[in-house]
Amino acid sequence: RIGISYTGIFESEGYGTPYEKGHLSSLRLPGNRFYLKIAEDIHHKKKMACIDCHTREEVMGNGTSYAHYEEQLEIGCTVCHSEKPGLTRKGNKLTNVKKEQGRYFLVGRNNDQHYPLKPPGKTSCRYPGHRRLSCESCHSSWVPQCYGCHAKRDKRETHLDKLTLKETKGWWEEGRSYIRYEKPMLAVWGKKVVIVTPGCQDVVTLIDEKGKIEGGFNRFTMAAINPHTTQAKGRDCADCHSSSKTLGLGEGTVLKKDGKWAFIPIDQGVDTLNGRTVGFDNFVTIDGKALQHGSRKDLRPFNGEELHRILRVGLCLRCHKTYDDPVYTNYDPKKKCPVYKEP
């Protein structure tokens, strides 16, 4: 969905809302799929095309078969937004980055427009407490989130095998629980904080030739993504430090009582053959126990210490609203506030 997200389009549920004079929405994609118009990526707003950033080797390949998409990628935000832009992650030079009169520009491949390249802000982007944040974790305003992939295989019927073009035993049906776009969830990939979204949250039911359930399984996975919904202004402090959804806990209520954190989720999961699942948007418990898999070995939710440290800053935001507040200089998470008594 990155392509349509870049243009500010979110494929919505099939309800056809918001209604137009009592009728279903007229905003539809091919296949009669409803959509909502949300914030477009700042680069799309500036009339930039995909090939203005992404290289020939990324799009067409360089002769190597990669196991994962990120291994083929060369472009990241800092390739352009740095003090000396123009060199990809793999050391290749971007041919459309030019230096003219002491300033760097990216030249549009389709429109020949010159886009001035600016390094990250010296304050918020380089704040010590944000050193692990990827650019997109703060500057992406939304991400498509499809929760709950319900798949059923019924051996009483057949299905067309798209590779052999032959009818084969077993009819497959697929549905979902719900979709969202707001409050992109954060997690840790290696040494960086990134955005994650449901990869596959499979609830699979298997039906035999007699119509009886013969088995099934559940497996929930979160996957890292750069949603390509970049905005010039980053998310505010409360979007992370006071949002249970952003932190991977899911929608719900965070409490602190007698010095201990607690969380009450809204999504309570669904009943399946293998018991009740976790909530679809619950990636981690308040104590840092992972509830779902990561799509890579080193992709994980925040651990307990990280969660508690992030949430504690959220308690400070009522009085100390910005990162440049003196209280956050040499911030010590163990230091007690002289004014506010923590629960």
Side-chain angles (χ1 to χ4, degrees):
R1 298 184 178 92
I2 285 177
I4 59 174
S5 295
Y6 183 66
T7 66
I9 290 177
F10 168 67
E11 184 182 345
S12 59
E13 291 282 14
Y15 307 132
T17 53
Y19 298 132
E20 299 174 2
K21 297 181 179 180
H23 298 282
L24 298 179
S25 171
S26 61
L27 298 178
R28 306 189 189 193
L29 296 168
N32 217 26
R33 296 171 295 158
F34 297 104
Y35 72 88
L36 300 177
K37 188 68 177 171
I38 313 181
E40 62 184 320
D41 191 291
I42 185 64
H43 302 89
H44 183 263
K45 191 174 183 179
K46 298 288 185 180
K47 310 300 182 185
M48 291 177 63
C50 304
I51 58 173
D52 288 335
C53 292
H54 291 288
T55 67
R56 175 185 60 192
E57 287 75 14
E58 285 180 304
V59 178
M60 302 302 295
N62 63 357
T64 301
S65 179
Y66 294 100
H68 300 122
Y69 77 93
E70 68 270 13
E71 296 169 354
Q72 186 165 331
L73 283 177
E74 294 194 48
I75 295 299
C77 301
T78 55
V79 172
C80 285
H81 298 286
S82 63
E83 298 294 344
K84 294 183 178 180
L87 207 62
T88 73
R89 293 172 177 174
K90 296 185 178 182
N92 296 320
K93 187 176 180 180
L94 284 182
T95 57
N96 60 330
V97 170
K98 310 292 183 182
K99 188 176 183 180
E100 300 174 357
Q101 298 180 345
R103 298 180 63 192
Y104 287 97
F105 295 87
L106 184 140
V107 182
R109 297 187 187 278
N110 289 335
N111 57 15
D112 203 37
Q113 185 171 336
H114 283 47
Y115 299 98
L117 300 180
K118 301 176 183 179
K122 294 182 179 180
T123 49
S124 58
C125 292
R126 300 183 187 183
Y127 175 66
H130 295 163
R131 63 185 179 275
R132 289 199 304 166
L133 294 179
S134 60
C135 302
E136 64 269 17
S137 66
C138 190
H139 283 274
S140 298
S141 59
W142 62 278
V143 61
Q145 304 156 50
C146 184
Y147 292 100
C149 179
H150 302 265
K152 181 182 72 173
R153 187 210 63 196
D154 191 336
K155 282 187 176 180
R156 293 173 297 178
E157 301 183 55
T158 62
H159 209 145
L160 178 65
D161 186 317
K162 301 296 175 46
L163 296 178
T164 64
L165 298 181
K166 295 180 180 179
E167 289 289 331
T168 57
K169 285 187 177 181
W171 172 266
W172 285 91
E173 287 185 277
E174 186 180 74
R176 63 191 176 204
S177 288
Y178 57 90
I179 58 176
R180 297 288 186 270
Y181 65 84
E182 67 276 18
K183 302 177 186 176
M185 187 180 292
L186 301 181
V188 182
W189 189 4
K191 296 181 180 180
K192 280 289 186 180
V193 174
V194 298
I195 290 177
V196 293
T197 193
C200 286
Q201 295 183 321
D202 296 317
V203 179
V204 179
T205 304
L206 305 174
I207 299 175
D208 65 17
E209 293 88 343
K210 297 180 180 180
K212 295 182 178 180
I213 296 175
E214 63 177 354
F217 61 89
N218 307 327
R219 184 178 175 87
F220 290 7
T221 302
M222 288 288 183
I225 185 174
N226 182 330
H228 288 61
T229 58
T230 306
Q231 306 300 311
K233 185 179 184 300
R235 303 164 77 172
D236 64 31
C237 303
D239 278 346
C240 294
H241 291 279
S242 300
S243 170
S244 59
K245 168 73 178 301
T246 300
L247 296 182
L249 298 167
E251 294 284 10
T253 303
V254 176
L255 306 170
K256 191 177 185 184
K257 186 177 181 180
D258 299 328
K260 293 184 178 180
W261 291 97
F263 176 66
I264 304 172
I266 292 176
D267 191 334
Q268 298 291 323
V270 295
D271 290 321
T272 71
L273 295 171
N274 297 291
R276 194 165 190 83
T277 70
V278 300
F280 291 114
D281 64 353
N282 305 154
F283 193 15
V284 66
T285 69
I286 193 71
D287 296 318
K289 178 184 177 182
L291 297 175
Q292 303 188 35
H293 299 278
S295 60
R296 298 289 183 268
K297 289 183 179 180
D298 55 348
L299 176 64
R300 62 171 178 83
F302 291 118
N303 60 37
E305 180 185 353
E306 292 165 334
L307 285 169
H308 299 167
R309 190 168 66 239
I310 296 168
L311 287 168
R312 187 175 187 271
V313 173
L315 297 177
C316 306
L317 291 178
R318 180 170 294 182
C319 299
H320 307 281
K321 301 181 184 298
T322 60
Y323 63 88
D324 54 356
D325 189 298
V327 77
Y328 298 125
T329 303
N330 299 319
Y331 175 76
D332 182 359
K334 296 181 181 179
K335 184 178 180 180
K336 293 184 178 181
C337 177
V339 178
Y340 174 70
K341 184 179 179 180
E342 294 186 38

